[in-house]
């Protein structure tokens, strides 16, 4: 039996309990056919940070799931069903992205990265999301928050004109047949929702996060969903966007009146708990995989004496990752640092300027294009520190245009020039390292490797890696994802690498194309030349709820065929492709004892794992324990997010 306020008669509290609730945050910002919505990426980061903040709501990290750019309907709906099964109190589902209206059936469709207008089969129907929320589990209440509208527009707006009379009504009625439900939408049926600044949250979610963090002056100590909604609505009204945006809500059984979050405007911050020994649950979560597996196999936990010894004498996060790779050190010293008030963030490529002492250039992928000089310290004792960033500029030294989305960097032989690969374009440009000005024209990108409609590259999945052979004769450029016509083989992506022939600092012309099969579900994010025809490839994968997978593989191009003239690589025989052998998997590197590696995500099997995007290979050591081996440096991209980390790794690798 339920009372009219949405509470059961057996006595649950008047507050939405974060410890017994679950939350799914879904966002799509990277589209193939629709305009990108870069602000949505910030929505997920900021909203998660607010919801997990103990001073605001305090949902535990293991009860909130972030789903970024789900590729299929099951990847979008599946996490909702799983969260619904776990929720005892309240299930909260949030979606941000383009919203499209089916012109024939007048139904709201939520979009995926490959969604297209007038193609409902490429989208997810709102009714299917409703069923996933409604039909699973036994939660007392179900909450849906939608930040979307009905058509694609330029980046400054999520949509333009109203696509039908029932769009807003469909959004508001999504959970009307669910008892104990609440729906909040970013706008009505005939108004767009705005994303005015790609560097910040969308208008609606930005206002929502601001109210959660700032509270409501003169308001009650606890804010309900409807009170929160009214404050968001008032905040948006003061923004006065080009087209009006008026959020809507719909309450079932008084859910909107239940206490939800603390009103930080009137309540003091919660006291910081005194430091104490970590709980056994926290300790076991930081074991290495081997120790965890042993404990589970025996049905035991480590004896208390051993636990205490590990806490005071934690093992180093170093050691063999494979027979040919050793983790030497890692450092988070650059994480959330600033240099002259500029954040050191978004580092997506690494190029060595010198090896003794190790000094590198780290490329930031956000606009304007910046390069940070980074002193790395010894590979056996990393102490990275960044100097003031230099801004990449056109040859005339003028203002930076909108062409930049830098993902790749390589220092050319002689150390006076560098090549930068930009996903926008895609394009490859040469810059003078001293002045940071562009030199000459961009290097030609073959038509088949350009974006549609010219070529088959997927938008936002273009040039991600550059490297030059040691003699400077060959430049290699790698595409992150398969071309549209190439596809994959049972989950292994068919990837293209373009080889250019020329001279360092001089002209490079397209020469040959090579193809290789990635690891299962992996994408190519960096290359490093060992010698002509032999490369290291950094592969990365991200799975919502599981985090990153990172591995480095060796590629031999010696027997691979030139695939320049192949329109599609799908179903080509195996001997066409480059030979591939895994050098190491970062998840298999020793993570050390408790506290030795900061965890960006408690769900990761190995806390070393991060969004690694940059890689640089040094010269072979001529003496010492690793004589003949080579130093390899990796760097992770935090995407400007509080939830991700900027981390530098140093490895020793043996390359036969």
């Amino acid at each position: 039996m339920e009372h009219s306020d949405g509470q059961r008669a057996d006595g649950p509290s008047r507050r939405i309990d974060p410890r017994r609730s679950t939350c799914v945050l879904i966002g799509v910002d990277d589209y193939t056919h629709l305009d990108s919505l870069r602000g949505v990426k910030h929505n997920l980061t900021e909203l998660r940070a607010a919801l997990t903040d103990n001073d605001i709501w305090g949902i535990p990290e293991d009860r909130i799931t972030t789903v970024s750019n789900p590729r299929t309907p099951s990847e979008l709906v599946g996490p909702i069903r799983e969260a619904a099964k776990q929720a005892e109190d309240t299930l909260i589902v949030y979606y941000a992205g383009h919203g499209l209206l089916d012109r024939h059936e007048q139904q709201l469709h939520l979009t995926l990265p490959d969604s297209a207008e007038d193609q409902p089969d490429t989208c997810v129907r709102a009714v299917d999301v409703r069923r996933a929320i409604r039909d699973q589990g036994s939660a007392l209440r179900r909450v849906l928050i939608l930040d979307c509208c009905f058509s694609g527009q330029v980046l400054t707006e999520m949509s333009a004109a109203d696509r039908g009379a029932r769009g807003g009504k469909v959004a508001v009625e999504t959970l009307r047949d669910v008892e104990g439900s609440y729906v909040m939408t970013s706008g009505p049926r005939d108004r767009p929702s705005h994303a005015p600044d790609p560097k910040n949250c969308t208008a609606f979610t930005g206002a929502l996060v601001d109210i959660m963090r700032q509270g409501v002056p003169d308001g009650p100590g606890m804010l309900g969903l409807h009170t929160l909604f009214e404050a968001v609505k008032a905040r948006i009204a003061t923004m006065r966007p080009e087209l009006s945006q008026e959020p809507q809500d719909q309450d079932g059984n008084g859910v909107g009146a239940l206490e939800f979050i603390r009103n930080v405007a009137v309540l003091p911050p919660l006291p910081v708990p005194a430091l104490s020994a970590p709980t056994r649950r926290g300790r076991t979560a930081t074991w290495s995989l081997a120790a965890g597996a042993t404990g589970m196999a025996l049905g035991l936990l480590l004896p208390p004496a051993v636990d205490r010894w590990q806490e005071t004498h934690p093992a180093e996060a170093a050691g063999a990752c494979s027979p040919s790779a050793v983790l030497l050190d890692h450092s988070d010293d650059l994480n959330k640092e600033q240099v002259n008030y500029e954040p050191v963030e978004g580092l997506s490529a690494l190029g060595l300027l010198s090896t003794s002492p190790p000094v590198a250039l780290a490329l930031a992928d956000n606009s304007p294009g910046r390069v940070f000089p980074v002193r790395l310290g010894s590979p056996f004792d990393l102490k990275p520190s960044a100097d003031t960033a230099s801004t990449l500029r056109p040859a005339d030294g003028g203002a930076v245009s909108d062409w930049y989305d830098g993902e790749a960097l390589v220092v050319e032989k002689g150390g006076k020039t560098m090549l930068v690969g930009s996903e926008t374009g895609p394009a490859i440009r040469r810059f003078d390292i001293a002045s940071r000005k562009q030199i000459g024209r961009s290097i030609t990108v073959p038509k088949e490797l350009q974006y549609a409609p010219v070529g088959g590259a997927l938008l936002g999945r273009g040039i991600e890696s550059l490297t030059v052979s040691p003699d400077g004769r060959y430049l290699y450029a790698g595409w992150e994802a398969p071309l549209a016509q190439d596809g994959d083989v049972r989950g292994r992506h068919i990837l293209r690498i373009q080889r250019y022939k020329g001279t360092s600092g001089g002209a490079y012309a397209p020469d040959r194309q090579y193809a290789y099969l990635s690891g299962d579900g992996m994408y190519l994010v960096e290359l490093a030349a060992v010698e002509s025809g032999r490369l290291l490839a950094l592969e990365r994968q991200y799975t919502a709820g599981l985090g990153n997978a990172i591995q480095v593989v060796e590629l031999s191009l010696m027997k691979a065929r030139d695939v320049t003239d192949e329109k599609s690589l799908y179903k080509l025989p195996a001997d066409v492709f480059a030979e591939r052998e895994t050098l190491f998997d970062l998840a298999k590197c020793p993570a050390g004892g408790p506290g030795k590696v900061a965890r960006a995500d408690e769900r990761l099997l190995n806390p070393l794992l991060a969004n690694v995007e940059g890689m640089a290979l040094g010269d072979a050591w001529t003496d010492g324990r690793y004589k003949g081996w080579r130093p390899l440096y990796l760097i992770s991209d935090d995407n400007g997010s509080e939830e991700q980390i900027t981390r530098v790794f140093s490895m020793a690798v043996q390359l036969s």
Side-chain angles (χ1 to χ4, degrees):
M1 175 180 178
E2 286 197 359
H3 296 301
S4 60
D5 62 0
Q7 315 232 5
R8 289 184 178 174
D10 54 1
S13 71
R14 289 279 304 170
R15 187 189 179 198
I16 297 177
D17 185 355
R19 297 164 301 175
R20 300 172 62 245
S21 299
T22 58
C23 183
V24 182
L25 307 180
I26 304 166
V28 181
D29 65 271
D30 190 8
Y31 288 91
T32 303
H33 307 292
L34 306 174
D35 291 317
S36 297
L37 294 172
R38 296 304 183 194
V40 170
K41 178 171 62 174
H42 303 295
N43 288 4
L44 298 183
T45 300
E46 299 298 328
L47 188 54
R48 182 184 181 111
L51 290 170
T52 56
D53 189 334
N54 287 326
D55 280 333
I56 299 175
W57 192 37
I59 187 170
E61 289 283 354
D62 61 354
R63 300 188 74 87
I64 183 169
T65 301
T66 300
V67 183
S68 178
N69 292 311
R71 309 298 304 186
T72 64
S74 62
E75 288 183 14
L76 189 151
V77 176
I80 298 175
R81 295 189 183 277
E82 290 302 313
K85 294 176 184 177
Q86 299 174 23
E88 304 163 72
D89 187 290
T90 301
L91 168 67
I92 299 178
V93 176
Y94 165 92
Y95 172 86
H98 283 298
L100 298 177
L101 192 68
D102 188 320
R103 301 179 183 182
H104 301 287
E105 298 183 3
Q106 296 292 296
Q107 288 188 353
L108 176 66
H109 287 184
L110 308 183
T111 55
L112 302 169
D114 292 329
S115 294
E117 287 196 80
D118 296 324
Q119 296 181 26
D121 55 302
T122 65
C123 306
V124 176
R125 299 186 307 167
V127 67
D128 294 328
V129 172
R130 179 192 68 188
R131 287 171 181 166
I133 295 173
R134 180 191 63 191
D135 296 345
Q136 300 290 324
S138 56
L140 300 180
R141 295 167 282 269
R142 322 289 171 120
V143 174
L144 175 64
I145 302 175
L146 293 177
D147 188 353
C148 63
C149 48
F150 311 114
S151 66
Q153 281 289 318
V154 295
L155 187 61
T156 54
E157 286 189 344
M158 287 172 130
S159 67
D162 174 47
R163 296 291 185 177
R166 291 185 67 243
K169 185 178 180 182
V170 170
V172 172
E173 288 185 343
T174 299
L175 289 179
R176 180 160 290 179
D177 57 345
V178 178
E179 293 184 4
S181 66
Y182 181 86
V183 178
M184 187 187 303
T185 66
S186 58
R189 65 187 186 187
D190 56 352
R191 293 290 184 270
S193 295
H194 296 267
D197 184 357
K199 295 181 180 180
N200 294 298
C201 295
T202 60
F204 171 75
T205 301
L208 178 63
V209 170
D210 284 348
I211 298 300
M212 294 173 73
R213 287 179 171 164
Q214 299 168 12
V216 178
D218 302 323
M222 298 293 294
L223 302 178
L225 282 162
H226 182 69
T227 303
L228 181 63
F229 163 79
E230 291 290 348
V232 170
K233 184 177 178 179
R235 174 69 62 91
I236 289 179
T238 66
M239 296 179 183
R240 303 188 181 280
E242 184 178 347
L243 295 175
S244 61
Q245 177 177 337
E246 185 178 357
Q248 294 185 343
D249 77 335
Q250 180 258 323
D251 192 359
N253 287 341
V255 174
L258 298 178
E259 295 178 346
F260 175 39
I261 62 172
R262 299 175 77 249
N263 185 0
V264 297
V266 299
L267 292 178
L270 293 175
V272 178
L275 293 176
S276 60
T279 64
R280 186 170 303 280
R281 180 174 180 268
R283 285 195 296 269
T284 56
T286 59
W287 290 353
S288 67
L289 286 177
T294 302
M296 288 185 286
L298 296 176
L300 303 172
L301 295 179
L302 290 175
V306 177
D307 253 354
R308 288 193 295 271
W309 190 92
Q310 283 194 339
E311 289 167 11
T312 56
H313 300 79
E316 292 295 327
C321 307
S322 74
S324 301
V326 174
L327 174 65
L328 300 177
D329 197 10
H330 84 282
S331 174
D332 299 340
D333 287 354
L334 295 180
N335 189 46
K336 307 302 179 278
E337 287 295 301
Q338 292 193 356
V339 179
N340 289 332
Y341 305 105
E342 284 189 328
V344 182
E345 64 182 19
L347 304 184
S348 60
L350 198 66
L352 282 178
L353 271 177
S354 67
T355 57
S356 184
V359 178
L361 297 178
L363 177 70
D365 62 5
N366 47 348
S367 195
R370 294 174 300 155
V371 176
F372 288 91
V374 178
R375 295 183 296 275
L376 295 170
S378 166
F380 301 94
D381 185 19
L382 285 173
K383 297 186 183 301
S385 62
D387 290 333
T388 302
S390 297
T391 304
L392 300 177
R393 298 189 178 278
D396 61 7
V400 179
S401 63
D402 294 332
W403 55 256
Y404 182 79
D405 181 9
E407 296 289 348
L409 177 149
V410 62
V411 176
E412 294 189 274
K413 188 176 181 180
K416 294 183 178 180
T417 56
M418 60 183 171
L419 297 171
V420 173
S422 171
E423 281 196 325
T424 302
I428 305 172
R429 297 175 174 84
R430 175 177 285 114
F431 292 87
D432 176 72
I433 289 178
S435 68
R436 302 297 199 266
K437 292 182 180 179
Q438 183 175 342
I439 301 173
R441 296 183 177 181
S442 300
I443 294 174
T444 300
V445 174
K447 288 184 178 180
E448 64 272 17
L449 298 178
Q450 297 179 27
Y451 296 129
V454 178
L458 302 182
L459 189 64
R461 298 279 191 176
I463 295 174
E464 189 82 13
S465 52
L466 290 175
T467 189
V468 174
S469 61
D471 59 10
R473 292 181 59 199
Y474 297 109
L475 165 68
Y476 299 89
W479 266 244
E480 180 182 8
L483 303 185
Q485 65 268 28
D486 290 341
D488 62 76
V489 179
R490 295 184 179 181
R492 298 182 63 186
H493 294 130
I494 304 175
L495 303 174
R496 296 200 187 211
I497 297 173
Q498 175 67 52
R499 188 178 81 174
Y500 294 82
K501 189 174 182 180
T503 58
S504 290
Y508 279 110
D511 177 33
R512 296 167 66 93
Q513 278 182 29
Y514 298 98
Y516 89 97
L517 291 177
S518 74
D520 291 341
M522 306 293 278
Y523 293 91
L524 174 62
V525 294
E526 192 58 281
L527 292 170
V530 179
E531 57 190 17
S532 296
R534 191 169 168 217
L535 309 173
L536 295 184
L538 173 63
E539 297 182 343
R540 177 199 61 192
Q541 178 189 28
Y542 175 78
T543 303
L546 296 178
N548 292 103
I550 304 293
Q551 59 186 20
V552 174
V553 303
E554 291 188 73
L555 301 179
S556 174
L557 309 179
M558 305 307 293
K559 297 180 181 179
R561 279 177 35 192
D562 181 6
V563 297
T564 301
D565 296 328
E566 298 285 352
K567 292 184 179 179
S568 172
L569 305 183
Y570 188 66
K571 292 187 177 181
L572 288 183
D575 60 359
V576 169
F577 299 95
E579 296 177 353
R580 174 188 182 279
E581 184 176 355
T582 301
L583 183 62
F584 67 89
D585 184 331
L586 192 59
K588 296 181 180 179
C589 293
K596 296 305 291 186
V597 179
R599 284 177 175 266
D601 189 331
E602 288 290 337
R603 294 166 295 184
L604 299 180
L605 293 177
N606 188 324
L608 286 168
L609 291 170
N611 182 39
V612 179
E613 289 199 8
M615 175 174 67
L617 182 64
D619 297 330
W621 283 295
T622 57
D623 55 19
R625 176 181 179 182
Y626 294 105
K627 181 179 179 180
W629 292 46
R630 300 178 67 171
L632 182 72
Y633 300 93
L634 307 175
I635 193 166
S636 65
D637 178 0
D638 71 344
N639 288 312
S641 165
E642 288 297 325
E643 294 182 356
Q644 294 178 279
I645 198 165
T646 300
R647 176 171 290 161
V648 180
F649 305 82
S650 57
M651 314 281 299
V653 294
Q654 186 179 40
L655 306 173
S656 56

